[in-house]
Amino acid sequence: MANSRLQLLVLSNGHGEDIIAVRIIQALQTLSSPPDIFVLPIVGEGRAYQKINVPIIGKVQNMPSGGFVYMDSKELMRDVGGGLIQLTWNQIKSVRRWVRLQTSLGNQNAILAVGDIVPLLFAAISGANYAFVGTAKSEYYVRDEAGLLPRKSKSAKWENFSGSIYHPWERWLMSRSRCQAVFPRDSLTTKILKKWSIPAVDAGNPMMDGLETNFSSRGFDRGNAEHKEQIRPLIVTLLPGSRAPEAYNNWEMIMVSVSALVASLQQPDSLFCGAGTMIFLGAIAPGLDCGILSQSLHIQGWRLCDQSPLQIPDPDSLTFKQKNAYLILTQAAYNECLHLGDLAIAMAGTATEQFIGLGKPAIAIPGGGPQYNAAFAEAQSRLLGISLTLVNQPSQVLPAIQSLLKNPDLLHDIAKNGLQRMGLAGAAQRIAECLQERLIMGN
């Protein structure tokens, strides 16, 4: 017997993409005519989906690379050895089998692809109508509102050889008659894609959803930022990334820059000496071991402290003190770390973008990878523009921060730039409502 509700299969290829897909699914479930939802995480086991109890239609498997194959050919070969080709073929068959089943039952069905060309290709060859949320690419990687960015490497021309960060074959998949909507991650990318026959919709970036907190978001005032920092503590958010063991290596690099900042408090000519103190907020992913990070802090002279200078909603947070500085480790108050920080020292992907999307500056240090390496950091600096200051080594973080604080006009521009590049919250709801119109009502 046919089901009158749309049967929607959601495809995604990565942990971050899974989280974005979950936000859209939750928004779809609030609609007046919600679809029945099925999912297939193409990369990993889809733990984000397990939390919302939606059925997974095919085989899932963790790969050795953790999903970072596009950055490293060695990682790709490890995945191939780990069964990537067989897994991909099984997943394609699962998608087509699902579409045939729903069609044979007389059910309206469609696919939502979230990520890059891989889920988009899966959707295009499925035989069903589909929509695409493009999380991986942005025109900001190659241009800004003023035009193309100057690039040094010859390979850079390849990124934009056809007039868009999206290559002709990707645009072809987005322009098929069965593609009902494309949701680029920012307004500039939407504008460029509309030059072709692509149903691009500027709904915003779901990456900025789910960051709510009871704290009001701090940031630098338009006035004299240098003076402001002399009369209140500077709060610096630390973003080491989420993947072990890379995050532990990143943490060691970040702590070198933290030590320099703490030492600067003692200097009579320091920008920070008037405040008398400084607060660091370590936003630590739940999957990491805070014991390893704590041990590193002890070695560098930090000591556990009973009293915290900030009240954050995490009873298990750890507060450390060294000289006049405090450092708080939390695995539960991520949103508060983003909102309370004046600036960030960052070696992370999504977290860095979210922090900057709140209108704040970040200083990035390239690490050894496999994710946050020099190539990734350089690309991210193009994506985020003036909001991300890229330095070569931890010793350069202090002068970069001092330079920022001396330039309130730049801080004002950074606040506007972050909002422009990452968009306003509420994108998942806007995407869900558009999907309702184009997939649910249009079927």
Side-chain angles (χ1 to χ4, degrees), residues 84-152:
L84 176 64
I85 294 173
Q86 186 63 39
L87 175 66
T88 301
W89 178 239
N90 286 336
Q91 289 173 334
I92 290 172
K93 289 193 292 184
S94 295
V95 171
R96 292 174 65 88
R97 189 184 306 118
W98 181 87
V99 171
R100 285 198 304 271
L101 173 63
Q102 300 301 332
T103 303
S104 68
L105 293 171
N107 295 334
Q108 297 176 338
N109 59 86
I111 292 178
L112 175 63
V114 181
D116 58 21
I117 190 173
V118 176
L120 175 60
L121 181 61
F122 277 37
I125 63 177
S126 70
N129 284 346
Y130 58 96
F132 175 54
V133 179
T135 64
K137 287 195 171 186
S138 166
E139 289 296 331
Y140 283 116
Y141 282 118
V142 295
R143 74 180 82 230
D144 58 19
E145 282 74 14
L148 291 175
L149 302 175
R151 303 288 297 283
K152 295 178 182 178

Side-chain angles (χ1 to χ4, degrees), residues 169-189:
W169 49 91
E170 295 170 307
R171 300 197 303 263
W172 185 82
L173 294 172
M174 288 186 260
S175 63
R176 298 300 85 205
S177 60
R178 286 189 288 103
C179 184
Q180 304 297 298
V182 170
F183 303 97
R185 55 176 289 156
D186 51 63
S187 302
L188 180 61
T189 309

Side-chain angles (χ1 to χ4, degrees), residues 46-66:
R47 292 182 182 176
Y49 292 124
Q50 294 167 16
K51 295 176 182 177
I52 60 168
N53 198 27
V54 288
I56 295 175
I57 67 149
K59 184 178 180 182
V60 296
Q61 182 181 333
N62 277 325
M63 285 288 132
S65 74

Side-chain angles (χ1 to χ4, degrees), residues 12 15 43 76 79 84 98 120 131 133 189 197 228 235 299 316 319 322 407 412 429:
S12 56
H15 175 66
V43 172
L76 174 59
D79 283 4
L84 176 64
W98 181 87
L120 175 60
V133 179
T189 309
S197 299
K228 301 287 186 200
I235 300 180
I299 292 170
D316 298 318
T319 301
Q322 181 182 142
N407 194 340
H412 177 54
Q429 191 65 40

Side-chain angles (χ1 to χ4, degrees), residues 326-349:
Y326 292 89
L327 192 153
I328 301 170
L329 294 182
T330 175
Q331 292 180 292
Y334 174 72
N335 290 5
E336 286 72 24
C337 288
L338 297 188
H339 282 272
L340 286 169
D342 294 306
L343 55 89
I345 303 173
M347 299 181 72

